[in-house]
Amino acid sequence: MILALLVATPVSAWAAAEPANPDFETGDLSGWTATGNAFTVTADTSWGWACCFGQQGASHVWGFKANGDAATGTLTSSTFTLSGTGQIDFLVGGGNNANDLYVALVRASDGAVLRKETGNDSEVYRRVTWDASAYLGQDLKIRVVDQATGGWGHINLDDIRLDGAPGDGLVTHWPFTETAGTTVREAISGRADPVNYVFTNAKYKPSSDPLWYQQDPAGKALSNALLFDGYSTWVTRPGFAPPTDALTVEAWVAPRAFEWGDEGKLEGIVNQHNQGAGRGFILGVGRHGKWSFQASVNGSWQSVWAGADASLPARRWSHIAATFDASDHSMKLYLNGRQVGSSTAPAGVITPDGGDLVIGRNNHPVMINGTFPVNTFAGLIDEVKIYDKALTATDVTASYEAVRTSYPGGAVPTPDLSMNRARYTGDKYRPQYHFMPPEHWMNEPHAPIFYNGQYHLFYQQNQHGPYWHNIGWGHTVSADMVTWRDLPPALVPTAGSVAPDGVWSGSATKDADGNPLLFITAGDDSVFPNQRTGVARCASLPCQQDLVDWKMDPAPVTVQSPALDVGEGRKVKYGEFRDPFVWREGNTWFQLVTSGVQTTGGGDVGGTALLYSSTDQKNWTYEGPLMVGDIHTYPKTGQVWELPVFLPLGDSGKHVFMINPMWSGGSPHNVKYVWYWIGNWNAATRKFVPDSTVPKLFDYGEHFTGPSGFVDDQGRSVIFSIAQDKRTEQAHHDSGWAHNAGLPLQVSLRPDGDLGVKPLPEMASLHTTAAPLVTLTNQNDLSAANQQLSGVRGDTLHIQLEMSASAASRYGIKVRRSPAGEEETLLSYNKNDKTFCVDRTRSGAISSLFADLGVQCGPVTLADDVLTLDLFLDKSMVEAYVGGHKSITTRVYPARDDSLGLALFADGAATVKSLKVWAMKSAFTD
């Protein structure tokens, strides 16, 4: 009876819910029936000449492994009964031959082929999904057929899943719950994927982990995330096999800023694509927060963009999802549970790409300066998920709501996207008490203004990396112009504004009611010239204490005309028009905008600052050039002027006019000089008459550029500058920062009619102790003096020196000196030719743009040949001020870690009248 019952039992009684060994993780063909010699189970991840298969788990079937393309055979699974939704999906790779090389769904009773799929002439797996719901309840098998013997005559198989298991179609999920380390765990496979980060193997500082973000200790979604720094951070999954019939990509993102969108490419959020080759997909964001999903459907590149009202906001969490469904040819976008974009794709499936899947960067980025991969995300990414089906609108909304409602009141937290100075701890060249941004690139600081008890300073900033690109205004605030507190960026390129393509240098003043105004160079590439001046005001009144909210006026302030009168037989250099410097006298505001002057035939005459006036800060009248340069007599003053500064010199009745020279075609003199003239200004006649037309060099080094200035609340005329670091682009990449400001300087009129220059006395507040580390007085024996100095070592020091020489013609101090003098920087006075010099021939040039740093000198006349030196060492910075008159700003990049010593020197008898040395502390507050 038992035997009879067994014989009578239908086949389906013996069928399991799924085929045996569906993922080959046994390491062999257990549960499968093979004919021929075409199929071998392997744990290989690459095929020898390239990488990677992208199998799920360890083992998979590789049709080439044992016997190559010539082998043939079949591989048949055990019988299973189809249940659930009827969805079947699997990974397939290998040759493309639908007749002789395929994976088939067959009926167990008669072997009839119900569905089949071939490879794609690629070893890289792609996921195929079948809707086999028509065969629910039937007994089925999976059969792999290889009857092909030529090139690509093999097929690969892995990870058969029924009913979308596991995870209801969820293929991959990166929850980013790590708080340390250099990998991120993908939850479905358990694989650890590498996080690229510049400081994992740091060059100029101790190595450190990527920037793991933690905000909510309750452990909800978004409580942990990965912070992508904008140029060096991304996650790589080699050999990912994407779904092709239907796909959903989902993530939470909080962008810090948006890139330029070079070559029309997106910043990759999640992508595995090669648009030029017509393969793969990308979910990413472009200029001004506009975002898109793009994919190759049967080799045709298709895009869907979010609507104009659905751009991603900066510095806030957003839930984004993109779907593709071959069954109805649809592509859709969702923002915070709401559909914001849709398009129709042609019939077909996504053509997969065999490259890496990358999170956080376009996997085919544009390279800036041959070094920096742009199209790279800046900000937070969390909860990345990929499904092998197109989620419905209800599904997407539910996913968004599950996170939103997990927070009190349904309010997703505002992420902290402030930049973190701590990531640079231990950098051997990064200054500590000179102002610089918390991260990445700066060029000139500008627009200083005193408002409501605080000094505000702005600066040119790229939030994405340490290179010039996509510039906005960074912002910092201080109680004393010495210690600084970082604030969010004040202005960024904004769609539909006066400055969609760049917010470049400018200045600050106040309106008639005392409210601050920021005058900008507004970049707009849709017009010519692409440089105009604009203004930004507090977004609401009264202005906030920290001035963190600004709004740009929609119309430009001044626009360059080619017909401007710049003198008989001359014309303005049309297209060069930037860097407004604005100030108020009585009821009149004046604006300088720099440009150049040419002959009517096109020959260069020199740079200029064009003068405008206004009685309401809105309507401006052109008054003519304040001054025109002479490039033929003084070729180092440039074809075009930039960054004008025009300040009164106390109550002397004199003004100083300063400019930064520029050459439109490039020049060896670029970014080296600041020139100035002193003269008389008459506001009524709108005329400035210099005491001499001969330009004077402000600083004798090669690093002081980009001046800006204002009259502070104490009536002092104060100058800010950028100290160019002049490092290689690779050094900028490897260090993660570029440039810093010089010290704030007070300028005044000397009795001899020249410009007096000295650091603000507030710098003394950064001394770590009130008493100096060492004090020397009236020392005639330099050997004895150096013995007392031998215990003073450091790279963040303030040194005050008075030194004279009766018999010596050259005398001074050596800084950043190694014990035996292999490395050292010499600052000296030469009595014979009355020059002050810095000798950097042995300073060290690690990471410098120039191997030979050379010697820089300039004329200085000293009273009684007494060298009075105010000297500041700050890592790579060396700033020296002689007698409150002249300065040298320079950089050094010692190779040795022990180049920290000091030594006095002279080529004859000399006296140290006074020497004091203090250690300096950081200028930055939390």
Side-chain angles (χ1 to χ4, degrees), residues 853-869:
L853 301 182
V855 179
Q856 285 80 46
C857 299
V860 177
T861 299
L862 300 182
D864 300 322
D865 292 328
V866 175
L867 174 62
T868 302
L869 190 62

Side-chain angles (χ1 to χ4, degrees), residues 134 431 494 620 650 781 792 867:
T494 304
W620 293 83
D781 186 343
V792 178
L867 174 62

Side-chain angles (χ1 to χ4, degrees), residues 275-618:
Q275 183 176 351
R279 299 194 302 264
F281 70 91
I282 179 170
L283 173 63
V285 59
R287 297 189 68 187
H288 307 139
K290 297 177 181 178
W291 61 290
S292 174
F293 176 71
Q294 303 176 6
S296 175
V297 181
N298 279 359
S300 174
W301 197 255
Q302 303 294 311
S303 301
V304 55
W305 287 86
D309 63 342
S311 294
L312 294 182
R315 300 177 175 268
R316 285 175 21 212
W317 279 115
S318 296
H319 177 260
I320 60 173
T323 66
F324 166 78
D325 193 341
S327 66
D328 63 3
H329 318 305
S330 68
M331 299 172 72
K332 298 176 181 178
L333 294 179
Y334 299 86
L335 175 63
N336 295 332
R338 176 174 66 95
Q339 184 175 318
V340 295
S342 65
S343 68
T344 301
V349 301
I350 293 176
T351 306
D353 180 59
D356 296 338
L357 182 134
V358 177
I359 300 171
R361 192 203 73 179
N362 190 301
N363 58 359
H364 291 281
V366 175
M367 300 299 291
I368 294 289
N369 303 329
T371 307
F372 297 97
V374 295
N375 318 115
T376 300
F377 187 82
L380 295 166
I381 298 180
D382 199 6
E383 294 294 332
V384 173
K385 298 177 181 179
I386 300 177
Y387 298 81
D388 59 8
K389 67 177 186 179
L391 296 184
T392 66
T394 300
D395 294 333
V396 174
T397 300
S399 181
Y400 164 67
E401 289 294 332
V403 173
R404 186 186 69 82
T405 57
S406 70
Y407 288 93
V412 173
T414 299
D416 180 5
L417 282 166
S418 56
M419 292 182 169
N420 184 5
R421 293 180 180 275
R423 69 186 292 216
Y424 301 108
T425 298
D427 188 308
K428 64 191 296 184
Y429 300 132
R430 182 177 167 90
Q432 299 299 297
Y433 62 86
H434 284 74
F435 174 75
M436 63 189 313
E439 294 184 18
H440 296 341
W441 169 276
M442 75 170 286
N443 41 307
E444 55 268 10
H446 48 68
I449 188 171
F450 183 77
Y451 179 76
N452 209 7
Q454 299 187 109
Y455 299 96
H456 293 263
L457 184 66
F458 303 86
Y459 53 93
Q460 296 285 273
Q461 179 187 39
N462 177 10
Q463 295 186 68
H464 266 73
Y467 57 97
W468 192 96
H469 206 49
N470 206 44
I471 296 296
W473 279 32
H475 186 191
T476 186
V477 68
S478 174
D480 55 8
M481 289 186 280
V482 172
T483 56
W484 299 96
R485 176 167 55 92
D486 296 317
L487 293 174
L491 299 169
V492 297
T494 304
S497 76
V498 71
D501 299 306
V503 188
W504 301 321
S505 293
S507 63
T509 189
K510 295 177 182 176
D511 66 16
D513 296 321
N515 299 309
L517 301 173
L518 303 183
F519 284 83
I520 67 173
T521 304
D524 185 349
D525 290 341
S526 69
V527 296
F528 185 85
N530 71 339
Q531 306 158 26
R532 304 178 293 178
T533 74
V535 68
R537 308 170 190 271
C538 296
S540 60
L541 295 177
C543 298
Q544 295 179 326
Q545 169 72 15
D546 278 348
L547 301 180
V548 295
D549 290 320
W550 297 90
K551 184 177 181 179
M552 291 182 277
D553 281 4
V557 172
T558 49
V559 178
Q560 188 182 35
S561 166
L564 291 176
D565 181 3
V566 290
E568 186 176 353
R570 296 177 173 182
K571 64 179 181 179
V572 72
K573 196 173 178 70
Y574 191 50
E576 306 283 1
F577 189 77
R578 53 187 171 272
D579 305 338
F581 182 85
V582 181
W583 75 99
R584 181 184 181 184
E585 294 188 40
N587 294 321
T588 302
W589 284 262
F590 294 96
Q591 177 186 190
L592 294 176
V593 188
T594 46
S595 186
V597 173
Q598 297 176 311
T599 66
T600 53
D604 286 311
V605 174
T608 191
L610 306 169
L611 179 65
Y612 296 80
S613 68
S614 173
T615 56
D616 60 6
Q617 326 108 51
K618 296 179 181 179

Side-chain angles (χ1 to χ4, degrees), residues 82 97 102 156 181 296 376 429 440 459 513 557 597 604 613 625-626 633 654 671 704 775 892:
L82 190 62
N97 184 335
Y102 55 87
N156 313 328
S296 175
T376 300
Y429 300 132
H440 296 341
Y459 53 93
D513 296 321
V557 172
V597 173
D604 286 311
S613 68
L626 182 80
T633 305
K654 298 286 187 177
V671 291
F704 181 100
T775 300
V892 295

Side-chain angles (χ1 to χ4, degrees), residues 31-42:
W32 293 74
T33 301
T35 66
N37 61 348
F39 302 105
T40 303
V41 175
T42 179

